[in-house]
Each structure stands twice: as C-alpha cells, then as structure tokens.
Amino acid sequence: EVFLPEETRGAAPVDFLQQLPSYQSALRRRATGGTQERRAAPQGPAGLLAAEGHRPQQEGDEVTARPAREYPLTIAEKRRLRDCQQADIKYLSGWKQWKRTSSKSLKKVLSELKELSSYLELWRHDIHSIEGKFGTGIQSYFSFLRFLVLLNFIIFILMFSLVTLPSIISKYGMFNSSFAKIPPKNIEPHCTVYEPSGNKGLVYFYTYLKDLLSGTGFLEVTVLFYGYYTIDAEWIGIHKYNLPLAYLLATFAYLALSLIWIIKRSVGGFKQNLVHNEDPFQSYCNKVFAGWDFCITDPNAARLKHRSLQYELQVNLEEERLKRKEADRTMKEKLCIYFLRIFINIIVIAVLSGCFYSIYRATVFSQENSNVSIRHDGISNTNFQANLLVQYLPSMVITLANFIAPQIFSFLIRFEDYSPAFEIRLTLMRCVFVRLANIGVLLFSLWSQISYCATDKCNACGYNYELYPCWESEVGQEMYKLMIFDFIIILAVFLFVDFPRKLLVTHCSCKPVQWCGLQEFGISDNVLEIIYGQTICWIGTFFSPLLPAIATIKYFIIFYIKKISLIHTRKPAARPIRASSSNFFFLVVLLIGLVLAFIPLGISIAHIPSSKACGPFRNFNTSWAVVPHTIDGFPTRLRQVLYGIASEAFAVPFFMVICLVMFYFIALAGAHKRVVEQLREQLVMVRFDPLFCTPKI
Amino acid sequence: TGEAEAARAAMGGSASLLPRELLREYQELTFLSKQEILLAYKRFSELLPKEERENACSARVPKSQILTLPELRANPFQHQICRVFSTSDNGDHSMSFEDFLDMLSVFSDSATSDVKSHYAFRIFDFDDDGTLDRKDLEKLVNCLTGQGEESRLSNAEMEQLIQNILEESDIDKDGTINLSEFQHVVSRSPDFARYSVLQ
C-alpha cells in the first residue's frame, strides 16, 4: 500500500522502513483511524499527496495537512487541493474545525505584520539593488553594516536612557530632581583634586577644532566622557536613583545584548551538521546545486559569476588532486616543510612583536608629550599641529600596522605550502588577530602609564593621580580619538585614493596604469575594518557613554561611502567568498571582537582602582565594588540567597550537572551518527533486494 | 462605457486591476504578499501587447517575451525554468499569469525549502526522466560555468567532479540522484536557502 501506482518520481527507497515489523507494531500501538482517513480522501490530489511520501499521515488524532501552497503543484491543482481540504473539514469535529480556522487566520495576521515590518527595514531598496548587480557575497557585507548601525543605535538608546538622561535631569533640576556629591571618606584629599581645563577666557578658534578632534578642552566636561557623571546619589521627584549601579548595570546590559544578538544571528544562518563529518560549505553538492546566484540580473555580473564558479570548481578539484599527492610525500619532504612553517611562524611572531612594541612606544611618547603632562606647567599655546600629531600618534601607528601587517602575511603564506582554501583562512585569522591585539596593546600601555606609581602618595590613591586625576576620561578620549581617526582614514582613502585612481584608469591608457587597474572590493578587508571600529566602540562605551551615537553616525555615513565606492570606483573581486560562509565568518569574527572587548573592560572594572576625583564610583575601591555594596543593602533573606548562589556549595554541583547534560548530548549525537551510517548501508543493500525493488517505468 | 475605455487607452492600458477575490486567492495559494502579486501583475501585463492587457489573467505570454525579464535574462537555467513552470498543452512553453505567479512564488524568500528543492530538481532534470543521471549533471555544470568553449571544464575534471557529487549525494549507489536524495543533500546545503529572486 506504500508504493502506489501513481508514483511518478522515484521516492521509493526510503519508504521501505515503514515495512519494518518494529515500525508496524509501533503504529498499531498508537492505533487511531489515521490511515482510514487518508484512504477516504478523493483520489486526485491525495494521490499526489501519497506520491510525495514525505510525511506519511499515520498517527495522531488530526490529519496534519499542510496548507495548499506548500505543495509543489500548479495554481490550478492547488486550488483543487484546497477545495478538497475544505471539504474534509466538514468531517472533523467542531473543536478541530475551530482550531483549523483560527490557526489559518493567525497565520494571515502574522504574514500581514511581517509585510508591514518589512517597510520599516532600513536601506531595503539599496541593498536589493546591490544584490542584483554584484551578487549576494557583497550584499552580505552591506547587510552586516546595517546590522551594526542598528546594534549601535540600540546600545546608544540603552546607555542614554539609563545613564545620561537621569544625569542631565538631575543636574539641571528638572522635574523636581536633585543630586548629591558625597565627599569620599577614608581617601587622601590629594586624590580628589580634578580641574578639567575647560576653555576659560579668550582662546584661539583652532583650540575648538583641536578639542573636537582630541576630546580635550571643552569636550572633556560634557556628557561625552565619564568625568561628567560625578554624581553619588540622585533624587528624581521622591524616588532615589542609584546612578553608580545603573552605570555598571547598563554596561553589562549592552555587552549581554550584543552577545545574544550576535549569537542569535549566527545560529539562524548556519545549520550545523553534527551527523556527517564533511564541511558543508566546501561540499561539491553545495557548490553545484546551490551555486548559481538567482538574484543576479545584470549580464556582466552573470559573466563574472560564471567565471568565478568555473575558477572555484577548478581550484577545488586541483586541491583534491594535490591532497592525494601530499599523502605520498616522503618523510624528508615533510620534515622540510614543517621546519619551513615553523620558521615562517617565528617571522610572523617577530612582525607582531614589532607592531606591539611600536604601539607601546608611541602611546608612551604621546602620553608624555601631550597636553596632559604640560597642563601642570601652564603652557597652553604649544604648536597646534605638532600637538595634534602627538595626540594622534598611537592611532596613526595602529592604522599603519593594520595596513602593513596583512601585506606581509599574504606575502609569507606563499612559502608555507598550504592548500589555497587554508591559506586564505590562515591569513584572515592572522589579520584578525593583529587588528584586535593592537587595541589590546594600546590599552595595556595606557594602563601601565596610569598605574605607574613611584611615590607613597601615589600608592595611596592606587593610580597616578598627578597626570591622570580622572583616568577613565583619558581612556575614553583615546577611544574617541581612535574612532575619529578611523573614520577620517576611511573618508581620506575614498576621496584621495579611489577617485584619483578611477580617473587615472579611465583617462590614461598607458600600459602600467591599465595593468594596475581598479582596486577590487575586498570583502574581508572591509569587514575587518568595521569590526575593528565596533570593538573600539564596545570597549569605549564604558568610558564615554555617547560613543555608540558617534559609531551609529559613522557607520551610517560609511554605508553611503562604500556604496558609492563600490558602484563607481571598484571592480568586484574575481574570487568572491560565498554568501552563507561569509555571513557566518563575519559574525564569528565579530564575536571574537566582543569577547576580546570583555577582557579590558573586566580588568578596568574589577581590578584597577576607580579614580577618586571624578565619576560615579568615587566612593568605591573599584567600579565593581558598587555591586557588593548594593547587595549588602538588601533584606537578609535575599542576601543569603545571593551569597549562596555565589558560593562553592552551589557552584560545584551546578558545574557537575552541566557536565552531565553535555555528556548526554554528546552520547545522543554519537548514537544518531551510528544510526545514520547503518541506515545508509541498508539503503545500498535494499536496492538489490527483490522484495523492495520498485520497477522503474 | 466609451469614455472609460478612452481614458484607459490614453493612460496606456495598464490601468486594469486584479479583482479582489482573485488577489486574496492568490495570496492564499502562493508565498507572495499582496504588493508582490500586484507588482507581478503589472510586469506581466507589460509583457503583453496592448490589446491583450485587458484580460491579462487569461492571456499567455510566449517564451521569447518571458526571457526578456531581467531576472531570467542573465539566468543560465532560463529555458529549463520556462519549461518547468509552463502549463501550456502544445509544448511551446508559453506562460500564463498563474504560471508566472507560481514561478515568483517558488523563488520568493518565504517559500519553504521543500517546495524550492522540488522545483530545483525538476529544473536540473534536463531530460525529464525523474532522476539526475550523469548526463544531467554534466549539462548542469556546463550551465554553471558558462557557454563557450574556454569556460567548460576538461573531461577529466568533469569526471572527477561528477564522481565527487555522486559520492556525496547518491545514497543507494545506483549512479543517479533521485528526488529524496536531492532533497536530503540540499537540506544540508547552507547556500540553498538563498534561492530567491527579487522583484
């Protein structure tokens, strides 16, 4: 009864499982009238239903019929099927009828809502047109950029409403609010001296420009930096608002929000295949069956896609042949290659150390010679350009390192004799590491300056109070400068490199220029650029709560810059990455950036003593100390529960339970894998068994 | 009414709209939203000569006209797509409006992967025998790499590629890929979900 004569497409081999005795007895145990209902349905469309053989409608009280549109039939046939289904409904009880109609109307409402919400999508038309002209690989970069704009905007809303808005309200006394600055107890008075030199009196105009670019002067005392929030207690109306706690919790909230959103996005786009070993992105079936990009409408783009597909297939086949040859390598050759690889890795480490050391020296030099140390000497009219240059020295060195290091890496990797796909991945990983580690080194060198203490007076404060009375604002200013400089570089490259190059290539027909040609739109380089910017934003938001707003505006403008650059001054890459794997890759690197952002923030919050002269954490040892302080103020019961959760008596059993759950899932996955292998073998054997063979028409 | 006709003729003949019950029915039977169906109707009527635009719902557009659509113009599977979605009886692969809607529905973002893989199988089945055998796979790869002698893979490369594909997807080892095997291998393919055509 399983192999109906109407079956036209060969779906037979999988259905033999329903003949197994164990399966039949399970069916009988769940004995319902399910199979009778199926036979009662009229022959035409139901024959097609059976012929699909996907979800045999056996058990269950209700016929789990799918809506008509999910069947691969023409509209006329779907109409007939739908009429049959509606006729079927009359046979069901009243309750089931109501369930069916209500689920149908719910689906309709949801689809209407989805339609409406798609109008609110930012840049929908722009991204669609880019997809049509350049394919989904490049489109995924722009979707990623849009995601970052939204993420930064939400983070800004979070920080603004929890931290900035209450501070502004209480400082200006709106809505009957007030704030209090409690003088810190048990702190040496010299630690609490902080006079930011907001511009007083007559100043040159360029001072404002300098302040705008480096975050000092008049900007230092605004809402932009940590120093403004020197509030210890706030009353809005009659309610007390604990600003220090809110500041810390808002920081944790935006980190958690970013983490959850990124993980949700990466899981949604990637189906992990735990059962089969092969890498789903590299399988030939994926390349051939899902290879063509149906969004392409432009014949030129189509030609490029054909060529890139041909290239990709040839490269992969070549790689496979090489791999087979590699297995035949002699011992001597293997040793040679390993030695070469170790040597090249040493060179890579040397290059990295060079970068880190130069960033360290640049930061130290910049801190020693910038306005910070000069402030006390009273010299305020130093050479404007030189001062700005010194302030921006760390940013410039980092940008230079981010530019040079990848070139060196792609040059070196050729000698390491890896397969082309692995070469690309390894170079990318090294570039990612360089970019993110550079920020870490900058922060480390800043901290070494901040916590350098030679005198006893300094040790009493815990940080260098003379040069950095409000060190969080200093760090915030460095992050602000990094972000502004990053934006300036992107703008400068667009205006002064891309456009002249394009003009040169179109108007000058001499050979070397034509051989150089236009630059490719390298997706991975652009993505690393914006992930670098986003990591700065994540680290900097704790020290400068308005930084996400600047990041939002920056990415908003960058979208249009990149779009114009792509359309007018770049040629598409000859070897584009696939859309699905590139989406996953972007999000993984972003996640690495976020995790790396946790480290400096964690150290700042929990380890380094907060500055006693400014900020909401003046009365605490470290920024984290506000949490235990608040918990101490809770009722005894709640306090005991919270201490209990944090104690070993709870943590160890919890950890063991988690391990058990993990082992269970690993065992389950292993069992599924074994079953799949057995079934595959059985399917091969079944082909030769005369009992189950279907005669092919 | 003569004046209404004259007014419509003056506006260019695309003023006739889809009746509302038909629109609702199409929304129910396809994966397209109301806006997309209306847009499809507009584009379909533009493919017809002016006299036939009145009853666009029942007219058939010849294959040559369909192939001028930008979505199909650059597509290497254009002929197959017309063949699969056309319901014409005389084998000229002309498409009615409902065939056109079917095509857009299958290629839309909200179509289930089940439906997409079913139609993809039929599109790739060049000889229409219900399975993808070596000849079908060879034609498929040639479509992907482009027309022209220099863009084809060599015989050895083609052999190696087809061998790899069959190794990955042919479960019962009979040398061909049937619908279930195709749907199984495509369900694990992360790029397949992006089979969509923009309007």
Side-chain angles (χ1 to χ4, degrees), chain A residues 28-49:
Chain A
R28 264 175 274 136
R29 259 184 274 129
R30 287 183 238 176
T32 59
T35 38
Q36 277 106 7
E37 270 189 68
R38 201 172 109 208
R39 259 181 257 137
Q43 265 310 62
L48 287 157
L49 272 176

Side-chain angles (χ1 to χ4, degrees), chain A residues 147-329:
Chain A
F147 164 64
L148 284 182
V149 167
L150 289 172
L151 180 68
N152 280 317
F153 185 66
I154 301 284
I155 293 178
F156 164 65
I157 298 282
L158 192 68
M159 282 302 267
F160 187 75
S161 52
L162 286 180
V163 170
T164 313
L165 202 58
S167 308
I168 296 179
I169 288 179
S170 61
K171 281 220 173 171
Y172 287 102
M174 304 187 231
F175 308 124
N176 247 350
S177 60
S178 59
F179 69 100
K181 269 197 196 175
I182 307 168
K185 329 167 187 74
N186 308 329
I187 307 286
E188 309 289 328
H190 60 261
C191 296
T192 63
V193 173
Y194 175 54
E195 272 136 43
S197 53
N199 295 318
K200 304 182 181 81
L202 219 55
V203 288
Y204 287 106
F205 176 73
Y206 61 69
T207 329
Y208 285 110
L209 194 60
K210 178 171 80 74
D211 289 339
L212 204 64
L213 286 176
S214 57
T216 49
F218 78 96
L219 270 186
E220 196 168 341
V221 294
T222 56
V223 212
L224 184 57
F225 291 114
Y226 180 90
Y228 179 86
Y229 303 91
T230 310
I231 295 169
D232 299 299
E234 241 178 52
W235 286 270
I236 300 181
I238 46 164
H239 305 288
K240 180 162 189 246
Y241 187 77
N242 191 346
L243 184 74
L245 189 65
Y247 199 105
L248 199 65
L249 290 183
T251 306
F252 293 153
Y254 82 72
L255 289 172
L257 173 75
S258 309
L259 185 68
I260 293 172
W261 200 345
I262 294 174
I263 290 183
K264 182 170 161 298
R265 248 180 102 96
S266 56
V267 162
F270 177 61
K271 258 192 191 153
Q272 185 86 33
N273 194 355
L274 295 166
V275 182
H276 218 64
N277 280 333
E278 29 175 86
D279 180 3
F281 298 124
Q282 301 301 324
S283 81
Y284 288 101
C285 284
N286 184 39
K287 290 194 168 74
V288 168
F289 294 139
W292 183 255
D293 198 344
F294 277 67
C295 299
I296 292 183
T297 53
D298 180 36
N300 283 325
R303 219 171 320 142
L304 261 163
K305 184 76 184 173
H306 282 304
R307 250 185 297 175
S308 77
L309 273 170
Q310 180 193 2
Y311 180 81
E312 202 179 337
L313 286 171
Q314 281 173 333
V315 156
N316 280 315
L317 292 169
E318 173 83 27
E319 238 179 86
E320 205 188 322
R321 285 195 291 266
L322 278 174
K323 253 194 229 165
R324 283 193 217 139
K325 257 195 250 164
E326 244 180 64
D328 306 327
R329 267 201 205 135

Side-chain angles (χ1 to χ4, degrees), chain A residues 550-664:
Chain A
I550 299 176
T552 308
I553 299 173
K554 172 182 160 195
Y555 285 139
F556 194 85
I557 298 178
I558 286 180
F559 181 92
Y560 288 107
I561 291 179
K562 291 291 174 185
K563 179 170 169 234
I564 297 174
S565 162
L566 172 69
I567 294 177
H568 295 290
T569 67
R570 300 282 181 119
K571 62 180 186 207
R575 293 183 281 153
I577 326 179
R578 298 192 149 268
S580 56
S581 58
S582 50
N583 268 332
F584 183 67
F585 161 71
F586 300 164
L587 290 166
V588 163
V589 179
L590 194 63
L591 207 57
I592 294 177
L594 180 62
V595 168
L596 281 178
F598 284 155
I599 300 176
L601 275 179
I603 296 179
S604 301
I605 291 176
H607 187 69
I608 300 184
S610 53
S611 57
K612 305 293 176 283
C614 66
F617 303 110
R618 293 184 315 152
N619 287 320
F620 305 101
N621 269 338
T622 59
S623 311
W624 168 258
V626 73
V627 172
H629 178 84
T630 320
I631 293 184
D632 283 338
F634 283 165
T636 333
R637 262 298 146 84
L638 191 57
R639 208 171 356 137
Q640 279 175 347
V641 168
L642 286 172
Y643 279 141
I645 292 179
S647 70
E648 295 90 13
F650 177 80
V652 171
F654 183 68
F655 178 69
M656 282 173 48
V657 166
I658 296 245
C659 281
L660 281 173
V661 170
M662 196 174 67
F663 283 135
Y664 167 71

